[in-house]
């Protein structure tokens, strides 16, 4: 069953620390002037931002460490759709019997706000807003995971997205095929990038025998991820 949610910014419970981390402070607190700009930007965002996400839960199985199959019907008949997620993501999926496919976005309204800042040549504030937008999109995924905890007795993984941890971004197109055209207003380009830019997509694995594990930054090859915990050399 396909479900869609539109939530208020307050429901995402975004902390200042998450924004600081997205901006690259990594545990430090910005100077007072930057903190004032962050607060000002957030107050401008609050009345116009309409975060939303769409998801569906389907039967799934892990056919190898590299690949999963997803579909409503019998796998034996070859009617499922396969995703080659790679070994890193695959190592977290043992015991998966279902998958929650999702898309989420801060919305077109947020894109318009970013464009306004760019036209004003307000580089610092644009960077702050860009960082907050990333946190908003990720927070939608977190909120979805909490919804799954409430509605399902199954254990679940953290969200995983095409383009990360060895999962080829070209499979973004395959993931979008499970949704109506332009889900939540998101358009996928020929190069598999999403618009609005502050959007995410991916899946969350579900299963009675599945054991949730944290992200392990040391085995991920995305050195630019703002959530990376290992120190840069």
């Amino acid at each position: 069953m396909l479900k869609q949610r539109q939530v208020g910014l307050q429901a995402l419970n975004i902390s200042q620390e998450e924004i600081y981390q997205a901006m690259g402070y990594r545990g430090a607190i910005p100077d007072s002037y930057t903190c004032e700009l962050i607060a000002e930007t957030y107050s401008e965002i609050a009345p116009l931002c309409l975060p939303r996400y769409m998801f569906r839960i389907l039967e799934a199985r892990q056919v190898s460490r590299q690949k999963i199959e997803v579909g409503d019907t019998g796998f034996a008949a070859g009617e499922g759709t396969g995703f080659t997620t790679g070994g890193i993501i695959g190592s977290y999926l043992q015991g998966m019997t279902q998958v929650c496919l999702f898309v989420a976005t801060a919305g077109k309204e947020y894109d318009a706000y970013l464009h306004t800042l760019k036209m004003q040549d307000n580089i610092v504030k644009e960077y702050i807003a860009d960082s907050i937008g990333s946190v908003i999109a990720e927070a939608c995924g977190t909120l979805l995971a909490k919804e799954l905890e409430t509605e399902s007795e199954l254990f679940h993984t953290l969200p995983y997205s095409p383009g990360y941890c060895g999962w080829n971004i070209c499979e973004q197109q395959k993931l979008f095929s499970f949704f109506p055209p332009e889900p939540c207003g998101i358009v996928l380009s020929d190069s598999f990038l999403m618009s609005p830019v502050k959007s995410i997509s991916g899946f969350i694995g579900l299963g009675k025998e599945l054991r949730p594990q944290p992200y392990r930054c040391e085995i991920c090859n995305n050195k630019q991820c703002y959530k990376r915990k290992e120190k840069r050399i």
Side-chain angles (χ1 to χ4, degrees), residues 32-54:
S32 58
Y33 174 70
T34 303
C35 287
E36 288 176 7
L37 275 180
I38 292 171
E40 178 183 306
T41 305
Y42 194 87
S43 66
E44 291 175 358
I45 289 166
L48 59 87
C49 185
L50 297 172
R52 64 209 74 166
Y53 59 91
M54 182 182 291

Side-chain angles (χ1 to χ4, degrees), residues 172-210:
Q172 187 89 277
Q173 188 174 46
K174 194 181 297 182
L175 192 152
F176 267 68
S177 71
F178 284 92
F179 295 97
E182 300 186 17
C184 295
I186 302 171
V187 177
L188 190 65
S189 74
D190 292 338
S191 55
F192 314 112
L193 300 177
M194 291 177 285
S195 177
V197 293
K198 296 306 170 185
S199 302
I200 62 171
S201 66
F203 76 81
I204 297 171
L206 299 161
K208 287 184 179 180
E209 305 300 324
L210 191 151

Side-chain angles (χ1 to χ4, degrees), residues 17-26 131 134-143 158-159 164 200 215-218 220 222-232:
E17 289 72 22
E18 288 176 287
I19 297 172
Y20 300 160
Q21 185 182 17
M23 292 176 63
Y25 282 93
R26 298 181 180 275
S131 300
S134 297
V135 174
I136 290 171
E138 294 287 344
C140 285
T142 301
L143 192 62
L158 293 168
Y164 291 85
I200 62 171
Y215 291 123
R216 294 172 57 200
C217 298
E218 70 275 10
C220 177
N222 182 11
K223 304 297 183 182
Q224 305 305 316
C225 177
Y226 76 87
K227 287 191 175 183
R228 195 169 186 84
K229 295 181 177 63
E230 73 173 16
K231 293 182 180 179
R232 294 181 179 178

Side-chain angles (χ1 to χ4, degrees), residues 28-79:
I29 298 175
D31 60 81
S32 58
Y33 174 70
T34 303
C35 287
E36 288 176 7
L37 275 180
I38 292 171
E40 178 183 306
T41 305
Y42 194 87
S43 66
E44 291 175 358
I45 289 166
L48 59 87
C49 185
L50 297 172
R52 64 209 74 166
Y53 59 91
M54 182 182 291
F55 66 98
R56 64 184 306 184
I57 298 174
L58 299 170
E59 298 300 311
R61 68 168 181 169
Q62 187 177 22
V63 296
S64 72
R65 184 165 174 169
Q66 301 283 332
K67 187 175 181 179
I68 66 171
E69 282 192 349
V70 179
D72 289 313
T73 54
F75 294 112
E79 296 171 344

